[in-house]
């Protein structure tokens, strides 16, 4: 690192309140896109700084995520480096994928190759609903289906409560409409592997060289190419967050919350309330949720999963409250029951003397004699 003092004195620009957006995180370094480019000594624009995090942020447990709005100090003009001094308040925050300030999600699936699977799509939709971030459902590879088949899928998903955008990276179908939806927003790109997310990024942002997913001929599933979250700048304005692919997102909602993540079920709930406040909508008396809708079977299956997860979490909590971790000389961990404080632990000699002193100060002689008879020295 160069002498920052001399750099500041010789800088042609007075630097104060440098604000930017974190567009990439790798190890302990953060790529920050500046709101207002800086000028180096040759009057060239510096639009990005490679930054570290101030030690004080680490001490207070302040993480830095992709999408964070940050304040940067001590810019090094020659090497385009700096230090993140402050993380501004987040509007939204997701832990998986780790992205801050996202304004919408773009959920991408393929209509074919691999074939669109309703159960997998339903799981992704529920996960997207649970984030409470607006999202757009985008169906790629529309060129592989006839217009009749495309219409069938559109009508089917409308009954689910969604208006999908059908696109084709190959024929450019629907891409202009998609660009308009992404303009000037921070968007999280998500979806299973092999649906064409990397090809879509290459089309939307030609200057970004991405490895394109190739679909396994045997399994008809995509191979993962994205390894970490990164924000890409869209030519028309906005940022697109490419997230690591995963085929089965976790449903980390409570059983009672699950029904609210189905738009077709939410409409039924608007008509009234169930007889029982803890109704889980699986055939209870006077339940307002009907059983004749396509994804009701999906709901019941995901409900069992949510119940099992809740029970496992509770069991773990109960175990931690009654057991304590011990470590053998070999380093192996094992559990043993915790002793009940009142039942097994004797009052310390110091505490007994303190109790006796308190009595001498505040009690009668008769009470002292009764207390001393009860002491076990």
């Amino acid at each position: 690192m160069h002498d920052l003092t001399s750099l500041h004195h010789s800088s042609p620009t007075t630097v104060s309140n440098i604000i930017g957006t974190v567009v990439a995180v790798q190890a302990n370094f953060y790529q920050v896109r500046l709101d207002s480019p800086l000028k180096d000594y040759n009057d060239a624009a510096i639009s990005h700084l490679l930054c570290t995090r101030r030690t004080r942020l680490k001490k207070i447990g302040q993480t830095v995520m992709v999408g964070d709005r940050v304040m940067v100090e001590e810019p090094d003009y020659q090497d385009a480096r700096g230090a993140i001094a402050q993380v501004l308040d987040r509007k939204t925050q997701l832990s998986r994928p780790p992205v801050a300030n996202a304004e919408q999600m773009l959920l991408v699936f393929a209509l074919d190759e691999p074939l669109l699977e309703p159960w997998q799509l339903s799981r992704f939709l529920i996960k997207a609903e649970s984030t409470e971030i607006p999202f757009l459902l985008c169906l790629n590879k529309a060129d592989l289906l006839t217009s009749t088949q495309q219409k069938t899928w559109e009508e089917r998903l409308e009954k689910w409560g969604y208006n999908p955008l059908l696109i084709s990276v190959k024929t450019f179908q629907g891409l202009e409409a998609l660009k308009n939806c992404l303009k000037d927003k921070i968007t999280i790109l998500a979806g299973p592997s092999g649906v064409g997310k990397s090809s879509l990024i290459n089309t939307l942002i030609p200057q970004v060289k991405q490895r394109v997913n190739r679909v396994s001929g045997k399994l008809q599933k995509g191979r993962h190419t994205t390894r970490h979250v990164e924000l890409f700048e869209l030519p028309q304005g906005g940022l697109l967050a490419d997230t690591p692919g995963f085929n089965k997102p976790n449903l980390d909602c409570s059983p009672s919350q699950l029904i609210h993540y189905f738009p077709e079920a939410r409409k039924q709930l608007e008509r009234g309330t169930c007889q029982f406040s803890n109704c889980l909508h699986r055939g209870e008396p006077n339940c307002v949720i009907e059983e004749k809708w396509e994804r009701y079977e999906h709901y019941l299956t995901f409900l069992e999963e949510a119940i099992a997860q809740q029970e496992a979490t509770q069991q773990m909590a109960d175990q931690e409250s009654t057991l304590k971790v011990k470590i053998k000389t070999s380093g192996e961990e094992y559990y043993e029951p915790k002793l009940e404080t009142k039942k097994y632990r004797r009052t310390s000699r110091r505490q007994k003397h303190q109790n006796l002193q308190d009595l001498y100060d505040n009690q009668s002689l008769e009470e002292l004699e009764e207390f001393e008879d009860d002491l076990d020295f």
Side-chain angles (χ1 to χ4, degrees):
M1 196 65 128
H2 296 271
D3 183 358
L4 297 177
T5 303
S6 61
L7 286 175
H8 287 165
H9 284 303
S10 58
S11 171
T13 305
T14 301
V15 178
S16 63
N17 295 333
I18 303 175
I19 305 295
T21 301
V22 177
V23 295
V25 176
Q26 195 161 16
N28 295 319
F29 293 94
Y30 308 89
Q31 190 74 25
V32 178
R33 187 192 71 165
L34 305 179
D35 289 359
S36 300
L38 302 174
K39 296 290 185 177
D40 65 9
Y41 303 106
N42 298 317
D43 206 32
I46 302 175
S47 60
H48 292 73
L49 292 178
L50 183 62
C51 299
T52 56
R53 177 179 53 160
R54 285 294 192 202
T55 304
R56 64 174 177 269
L57 296 182
K58 184 177 181 180
K59 288 182 178 179
I60 64 175
Q62 175 65 68
T63 59
V64 180
M65 303 170 64
V66 166
D68 267 329
R69 301 278 294 155
V70 297
M71 183 178 295
V72 179
E73 293 179 340
E74 298 185 358
D76 181 335
Y77 295 97
Q78 182 169 337
D79 294 331
R81 291 175 176 264
I84 295 176
Q86 181 180 349
V87 177
L88 305 184
D89 291 341
R90 294 166 178 161
K91 297 179 181 178
T92 62
Q93 178 179 335
L94 292 178
S95 57
R96 185 180 178 188
V99 180
N101 299 314
E103 297 169 89
Q104 65 180 0
M105 294 181 65
L106 177 63
L107 187 58
V108 180
F109 266 75
L111 286 165
D112 201 359
E113 295 183 4
L115 186 67
L116 182 55
E117 207 288 305
W119 281 84
Q120 186 188 46
L121 174 59
S122 190
R123 176 180 285 272
F124 270 85
L125 288 170
I126 293 169
K127 182 63 177 180
E129 291 275 0
S130 70
T131 65
E132 299 183 353
I133 295 177
F135 67 92
L136 171 66
L137 175 58
C138 182
L139 302 180
N140 191 22
K141 304 184 183 181
D143 58 289
L144 300 179
L145 270 62
T146 65
S147 58
T148 301
Q149 291 173 320
Q150 293 180 30
K151 185 65 176 178
T152 299
W153 267 112
E154 285 181 308
E155 293 176 349
R156 183 177 182 180
L157 292 173
E158 284 176 3
K159 293 180 180 178
W160 289 17
Y162 301 102
N163 295 309
L165 176 61
L166 273 60
I167 69 167
S168 171
V169 174
K170 184 176 180 180
T171 65
F172 303 105
Q173 173 184 338
L175 290 186
E176 284 303 316
L178 177 59
K179 290 178 182 179
N180 290 332
C181 294
L182 303 179
K183 186 177 180 180
D184 297 329
K185 293 183 178 180
I186 297 180
T187 305
I188 297 176
L189 178 65
S193 299
V195 299
K197 297 194 301 294
S198 295
S199 297
L200 179 60
I201 290 177
N202 286 334
T203 303
L204 294 174
I205 316 170
Q207 65 269 29
V208 176
K209 294 183 179 181
Q210 286 278 308
R211 290 182 299 159
V212 179
N213 278 350
R214 294 184 178 181
V215 179
S216 168
K218 182 182 294 184
L219 299 177
Q220 286 293 292
K221 293 182 179 179
R223 297 169 181 162
H224 295 210
T225 57
T226 306
R227 299 304 180 192
H228 60 277
V229 181
E230 185 172 354
L231 287 178
F232 297 107
E233 298 180 40
L234 295 165
Q236 70 274 17
L239 296 167
L240 187 63
D242 188 19
T243 60
F246 54 95
N247 292 321
K248 189 177 180 181
N250 294 328
L251 302 180
D252 51 4
C253 62
S254 69
S256 61
Q257 290 175 322
L258 181 63
I259 194 67
H260 299 283
Y261 300 146
F262 289 83
E264 60 270 55
R266 290 200 298 264
K267 289 184 177 180
Q268 299 182 51
L269 290 172
E270 292 174 358
R271 299 193 305 235
T273 56
C274 299
Q275 177 179 344
F276 302 104
S277 59
N278 61 346
C279 183
L280 291 179
H281 319 292
R282 47 182 178 180
E284 294 91 337
N286 298 321
C287 176
V288 299
I289 298 296
E290 300 175 355
E291 299 180 6
K292 295 182 179 179
W293 46 290
E294 181 183 354
R295 291 205 294 168
Y296 184 63
E297 185 180 357
H298 295 190
Y299 168 72
L300 293 178
T301 300
F302 296 149
L303 178 63
E304 292 300 321
E305 181 179 332
I307 292 174
Q309 183 173 347
Q310 185 181 64
E311 292 175 348
T313 302
Q314 184 60 48
Q315 184 178 3
M316 182 177 297
D318 293 342
Q319 186 182 52
E320 290 178 353
S321 65
T322 59
L323 299 177
K324 60 181 177 180
V325 179
K326 303 288 287 186
I327 302 178
K328 297 180 180 180
T329 54
S330 61
E332 180 183 355
E333 294 184 354
Y334 68 98
Y335 290 89
E336 69 175 29
K338 292 181 180 179
L339 296 179
E340 296 182 20
T341 303
K342 292 183 179 180
K343 186 174 181 180
Y344 296 101
R345 294 189 178 178
R346 299 177 59 185
T347 305
S348 68
R349 186 178 295 273
R350 174 182 290 183
Q351 185 61 48
K352 288 178 180 179
H353 280 292
Q354 183 62 50
N355 292 341
L356 184 58
Q357 183 62 48
D358 292 341
L359 279 172
Y360 271 112
D361 294 338
N362 303 302
Q363 303 297 326
S364 66
L365 180 60
E366 182 179 350
E367 289 174 325
L368 288 173
E369 290 175 348
E370 290 179 358
F371 180 74
E372 289 176 345
D373 290 339
D374 293 334
L375 290 178
D376 180 22
F377 288 108

